[in-house]
Amino acid sequence: MLTTIAAAQLPVVFLLLAAGTVAKIWTVAREAEPGTLSRLGPAVLVPEHWRAPAMLGCALGELFLVSGLLLTGHPSFRWGISGFFAVSTYVLWELRRRRPDVGCGCFGEVSALPVGRRSLGRTMVLTAMSLGLVWTPEIPGWAAMADLTWAHAPAVLAGLLVLAALSPEIEETVARLRYRAPCEQRRLDPAAALGRLRSSAVWRSHEEVLSSKDPVDSWRELCWRFFVYPGNSHAGDPVDVVFAIYLSGRHPTVRVAMVGSDGQPVKTGTLPESLPISAGH
């Protein structure tokens, strides 16, 4: 019975290690906000210029352990994983004592909440799970997982539920998904706005007056992205053709106006009055 429960925790331990590895590498690679690593442990315990290498080194260590667990049955990897989680428990305890303001960084930037009892409890449970794997048959992890039967399912599910209950990251992720930043605060790629413009009916109806298909200027104001193209009016005078694309919604509004060399509209524009037309924003 105990052997069955221990063997059933192999996919759980593998999943947690793999998720932690990917999340840490992703956090270091993108670092969406400056100073992200200064809020995540154990990177905060080292000088600033070593924080990214420290987190990346931790991720590579996890990758080494999870690869050994998957590809071999050598007990050293299972003991290594047990030691990794035991050391992690101690490090989190120290973080909670010395830096109660920072997150554990277990899953990269998602683990930004201050270290609490749940995070500590999770590493303790993972340490116990990993120790249980030491007493299971010494076969590669992929083969052991392939040999799992429906009899192991309750133990696998129980392990996942326990770890889910001890993971504050789940609530944090749900809260992030529920919160949608206002349009004017979202980071939106100008190339996406340009694609929306060129697929619009407004673009097609004014394409013939453009003297170049490359914009000469572009800027953003709140939820609008502006593109300026050189063109000619129907009278043959040189004008700036200004397109405005609303940056929210599946079918965003696209508006256009023509501006003469004197800065005055050549014809009645449809740009919102609150958004000024100026090629030198």
Side-chain angles (χ1 to χ4, degrees), residues 21-113:
T21 299
V22 173
K24 289 181 180 70
I25 293 175
W26 176 254
T27 297
V28 173
R30 65 191 296 263
E31 196 171 0
E33 298 179 9
T36 295
L37 297 181
S38 66
R39 302 190 298 270
L40 302 175
V44 297
L45 300 179
V46 299
E48 184 175 355
H49 62 280
W50 284 107
R51 286 173 181 168
M55 180 165 283
L56 190 57
C58 183
L60 293 177
E62 288 179 279
L63 179 61
F64 174 73
L65 291 172
V66 77
S67 300
L69 177 66
L70 183 67
L71 301 175
T72 78
H74 201 283
S76 61
F77 286 100
R78 304 183 185 195
W79 281 111
I81 292 172
S82 301
F84 172 79
F85 285 125
V87 171
S88 296
T89 303
Y90 171 75
V91 171
L92 292 187
W93 177 266
E94 282 294 300
L95 276 176
R96 191 181 183 200
R97 184 176 65 86
R98 296 170 54 184
R99 291 293 306 272
D101 58 314
V102 302
C104 71
C106 307
F107 297 97
E109 64 181 349
V110 178
S111 302
L113 293 176

Side-chain angles (χ1 to χ4, degrees), residues 179-239:
Y179 173 75
R180 185 171 174 81
C183 173
E184 58 270 20
Q185 296 180 10
R186 293 181 221 149
R187 298 177 62 183
L188 298 166
D189 186 0
L194 188 59
R196 291 178 177 181
L197 168 62
R198 292 183 174 176
S199 63
S200 69
V202 173
W203 170 268
R204 292 190 293 272
S205 64
H206 290 77
E207 193 172 5
E208 62 181 14
V209 304
L210 304 180
S211 57
S212 172
K213 299 299 176 64
D214 297 319
V216 296
D217 198 3
S218 175
W219 68 91
R220 175 177 174 173
E221 293 185 20
L222 300 178
C223 284
W224 293 86
R225 166 64 66 175
F226 292 83
F227 292 98
V228 181
Y229 290 83
N232 295 286
S233 69
H234 296 295
D237 299 320
V239 294

